[in-house]
Amino acid sequence: MVKNITGYPCPSCGTTRAIQLLLKNNWMASLQMNPFGILVATMMIVFPLWILFDISFKKDSFYNYYHKAENIIKTKWIAILLITLVIINWIWNIKKAL
């Protein structure tokens, strides 16, 4: 949608295609398509299993981890680092003419 309106790809453009490349065991092409794909694919596998584990064993480790991660991300220098990584990925997408 962003690309249709602005003519520029969004930072996450190509993530779905990167995951598809991962499923075809083409890691390098996936990484080149969009590095977020590997991160998203990992989260799509790990998080549901983790939540299922917590439900099965009546634990709240995922919930606790989420809140700790949220507080860490709110740290100014980490937030700046993450935003910088997203901007770099966005520039990468624009340069590739994704």
Side-chain angles (χ1 to χ4, degrees):
M1 188 156 120
V2 171
K3 188 173 183 178
N4 290 336
I5 294 171
T6 67
Y8 295 104
C10 67
S12 65
C13 277
T15 301
T16 302
R17 286 174 279 174
I19 292 171
Q20 289 172 335
L21 289 165
L22 277 176
L23 293 173
K24 294 177 183 175
N25 205 25
N26 196 340
W27 289 79
M28 190 52 75
S30 174
L31 189 61
Q32 290 173 341
M33 176 62 67
N34 193 326
F36 287 166
I38 294 172
L39 178 64
V40 170
T42 302
M43 291 188 311
M44 288 172 61
I45 293 168
V46 172
F47 288 177
L49 293 173
W50 191 352
I51 292 168
L52 185 61
F53 173 85
D54 276 0
I55 291 170
S56 298
F57 292 96
K58 297 183 177 167
K59 300 203 178 267
D60 56 358
S61 63
F62 182 82
Y63 180 78
N64 292 333
Y65 174 80
Y66 175 83
H67 282 290
K68 285 179 187 176
E70 188 177 41
N71 287 331
I72 290 169
I73 291 170
K74 288 180 184 178
T75 305
K76 186 176 182 178
W77 73 270
I78 292 178
I80 291 169
L81 174 66
L82 293 173
I83 291 167
T84 303
L85 290 173
V86 170
I87 291 170
I88 290 169
N89 192 60
W90 195 3
I91 292 167
W92 170 258
N93 282 345
I94 292 169
K95 285 187 110 358
K96 296 186 296 191
L98 193 65

